[in-house]
Amino acid sequence: MATDQQSHFTTDDPIVEVRNLKVTYDDGDTFVLDDVSMDIERREILGVVGESGSGKSMFASAMLDAIPDPGLLSGKVLYHGGDGETIDVLELNQEELNQFRWEEISMVFQGAMSSFNPTMKVGNHFRETLKAHDKNVADGMAFARELLEDLYLDPERVLDSYSHELSGGMQQRALIALSIVLEPEVLVMDEPTAALDLLMQRSILMLLKDLQEKYDLTMVFITHDLPLVASLASRMGVMYAFQMIEIGPRDEVIGDAGHPYTRALLNATPNLDAPLEEMKPIEGQSPAPINVPDGCSYHPRCPLADDQCVREDPQFYTVSEGHGAACHHWEEAQDTIRLNFESASETGGDSDVAADGGTLPGDAVADRDGGHDATDFVGGSDGGDSQ
Amino acid sequence: MSDAQRPASGATLGDRDEEPVLSLTDVEVHFEEQQGIIESFREEPEVVQAVNGVSLDIFDQDVVTLVGESGCGKTTLGKTCIGLQQPTAGTVEYRGTDIWEAKRGNTEVPFDEIRQSLQIIHQDPGASLNPNRRIIDILAEPIKQVHPTLGSGERRERIYALLERVGMNPAADFADRYPHQLSGGEQQRVALGRALLMNPDVILADEAISALDVSLRVEMMDLMLELQEEFDTSYVFISHDLSNARYFSEHGGGRIGVMYLGQIAEIGAANRMITDPHHPYTNVLRWATPDLGLDAERAGEPPMRKIDVPDPVNPPSGCRFHTRCPEAREACVTDEPDLYEVEGVEQATACFRELDDHQYWDSPELED
Amino acid sequence: MDSTVGGVEWTSDDTSASEVSRSDKAREFYEEKIYKPAIVAWSDMRTRIGILLMSIYGLMAVVAIAGLWRAPTSSQAPERYMQPFQNWDYPLGSTASGVDIMALIIHSTDEMLLMILAGGVWATGLAVAVGTLAGYKGGTIDNVLMSFSDLVMAIPGLPLVIILAFTFNPENPIFVGIIININYWAGLGRSLRSQVLTIREESYVEASRTMGVSTPRILRKDVIPNLMPYITVNFVFAARYVVFASVGLFFLGVLPYTQANWGVTLQRAYSGGALFAPEAAHWLIAPMLAIGVLSLALILLGQGLDRVFNPRVRTRLAGESESTAADEEEDTFGGKVM
């Protein structure tokens, strides 16, 4: 029973173990994070996906014990550092916590642009961070320059500028460098590309992949934009109504999701290839913390819901090795709910043909070279936010 | 040159013979840098060429989507369309009347009438609603503009009807709230309702869904398109995201226009632009759009030579994309392409490769 | 009257909507403009104390006007230099000439309140008019108005007031209040203008412009309500300034002598040697307290009033519900939820 329950979320070499994490704001009546358990594997990129108000940002904060008052956090967060030591994050006192944050686990928040102090040069942000953690400033700055170069920024120029003198994309990259400068093991990012445009988003994702390889980082990438993280993540978790409802390797969560919500989410996301008719919004709305339904929290919106779903809150069912979904009817979901982008690789089928004789989706795509190589395409000059 | 390869006139793509609602002709919008006194003696002011020579027609019940990177001028062009931005050259005509002449009072059609027919929905729903007013007051404003003689009871009726129509039930409850008591999606629906209550001919949706969660976007776009027919309005939809642009335009049976450094690089029917782009830049945008297809692993190599957008103060000569274009040749540095129609379909692209007999094919490739 | 606009049937399911009776409107007005602001004001301890203190002064003013307490005259008290809290007929004691100090305090109040109200309204009202017009319109109007207010600001305040006071010899407290704050509005107008410059760029203001809403209406509905916190705080400052300036000027004798006036009382107490004689100390302390407590009341009121104009506070205290948990997430991070 334990192995069955846990096989979807335990991994071989977890760097962070999260167990039964709960956050409540009014002494246990309503939860904004409801009993989340999972492992984060060393050196993986984990994507956590969910709508606004699903608890995903809360999850990130909880891992760092950064839940603002009057929230109450309970559960366990175990960190297995590189030196074999295990730290119980929630038991640390304030001083130890300050050291822990940024040196072991680092976080890039939403709305990163405003994370910089507008009256301080970027370079001073780095120096202050190094000083605050009692690190050698000279060594730290040398490493910072290296990082900035990895991110295709001109180090001298960036360090000497104020944040408003840099474009959005450059600010974001500078912030990423700042969060890695103390050589943490884990980097948690909450919507890091939210305000950026398409090409810049794409470049930053590729840079993150490079950084992860070069510095052996573990990354947790939190977003509401599923396709965005799909290219980056090796493992994905889906959150709904403050719970983790599906976890698994990326290929499976996207190609073969067990939970009806995940499948519906995939279908509701606009993309280039799927036929228009098959992109459908999800009926209804996500619940507020006080309105979370009994039983399975998704049942009011689920086409497969039955009495069992109303009565019983599902625990995780194993879909396959390392892939679990919290749904009583996951098999039925896989069989009945069709994913719209699957038809993109089918020929003919029921895809919509446009009135003026456009070609079918899926063909006529430019050459795609194999291999991955983020060449010198990310320049240092202003990507420009001027309109 | 053969018939089908003539420069496209005003990017109208020739098919329609109805009169356009909005007609932009050779519009330019240049922003001059503000200089201090001393600086103005020393050097010329820098000019940002936000929009540089765009002609566009928008028809009844039309959908035109403008896509591009930051700084390509799509928002400026959008605002020029609806008369919020005055062009520094060229004309903007609403049903045959020059908008800016009307503002000066020189035309038959009063400017007020034009002003009311062109509306806007902003990107950030939280900022587009006055935080100090309740929803019912916010929505009463457009009604007061269009039907000033209506009594408050009738006004309230219409507001409730609108709220129900955009899916906010019970209307009376929502009407009494302040904007901060609504979710982002609900706020945006109120903004949409406010624009529609003006009974406009054209609505500019300036990245109107970018601030919403990905899972809510389809819903919002569906709503906008449903209401389009009921209210008989056209959309100019600005997006930096090609997937959203595709969904909106294809569903609305409209065009996608790709902008680059203040010019239209390619414009055409939505599905054509997505499946068979003829301009190399459109191809880059395709590449950058994340997708879920697991079989075609989108590879790392971007189909262009540089990712930097050139400085809009000093745009490249000839074809502006030549500095980054993988297909660029010497001819592209010296000559500037017009929009050339693609034979047989609703599509036009500003690229010499469209013409069979241009000197492009004889000129050498660019060395980097 | 047709009920279809834009091809849509406008009659909603909620048929009770079209009957908006008089009583409904009155009730709405009461709730929005009186009840809810009152709750918010009362909820904050500072404002509560401020309101209570101000109402004491209000009460004193009413008493003075209604003549419920004797007017101050010489030799009305049984003895001179009577100490406070001994004779409850004369709770604050009496002066060197046997004038009832309590009467002095009470009968100054109504004029003082009128003065500070006039001064506050003059300074703030003019500043709002000038600042919003200049900030919103820009261009020539902005240049002209700002040049004018710079000129006014450059004129030294106190000497100007003294000259005006000697020239006009004002007796009417409203006139006095205006003279004291004669050029106070200029600096305030400038800072309001810079705030308007920011608000003007907000999306909702652009939306109103796009709808063709007239400029005065935009100023009234979109711009000024967002400035209200700043305006109320500065109104209070302007009023306080009148308090201290008027007391000072009456003390100096610049403003024409009236029997019942705190400043004048202070001056008489001071020249009567109350600073050194312990038995006359109460004569000095009473007006000082009156002035100080009024100033305190104004400050407290000002601090709390800006919350009244915050719609979030208002709805939270009135117990209204919120739509989704998005607000909670937003509260915890203070940033936008995408």
Side-chain angles (χ1 to χ4, degrees), chain A residues 52 197 199 271 274 354 369 377 386, chain B residues 69-71 213 246 271 299 307:
Chain A
S52 314
D197 68 34
L199 299 187
N271 63 69
D369 298 327
F377 59 82
S386 57
Chain B
E69 297 172 90
S70 311
D213 270 359
R246 181 223 169 192
N271 69 317
I307 242 195

Side-chain angles (χ1 to χ4, degrees), chain B residues 134-144 150-172 174-176 189-190 193-194 197, chain C residues 9-14 17:
Chain B
R134 287 179 305 152
I135 302 300
I136 190 169
D137 295 320
I138 293 177
L139 289 176
E141 199 67 49
I143 302 182
K144 285 184 189 167
L150 226 47
S152 61
E154 262 254 17
R155 257 206 312 269
R156 187 180 293 231
E157 219 175 85
R158 294 189 186 203
I159 293 174
Y160 285 2
L162 178 82
L163 285 172
E164 283 167 17
R165 186 68 192 79
V166 298
M168 287 166 73
N169 263 310
F174 278 102
D176 264 348
R189 278 180 275 166
V190 171
R194 177 177 62 187
L197 279 172
Chain C
E9 267 301 327
W10 278 105
T11 42
S12 78
D13 298 338
D14 189 350

Side-chain angles (χ1 to χ4, degrees), chain C residues 25-45:
Chain C
K25 275 192 175 171
R27 195 176 40 82
E28 252 187 61
F29 178 79
Y30 165 72
E31 266 202 41
E32 281 303 310
K33 302 277 195 287
I34 301 177
Y35 174 67
K36 289 210 191 117
I39 294 189
V40 176
W42 195 254
S43 71
D44 188 44
M45 189 49 93

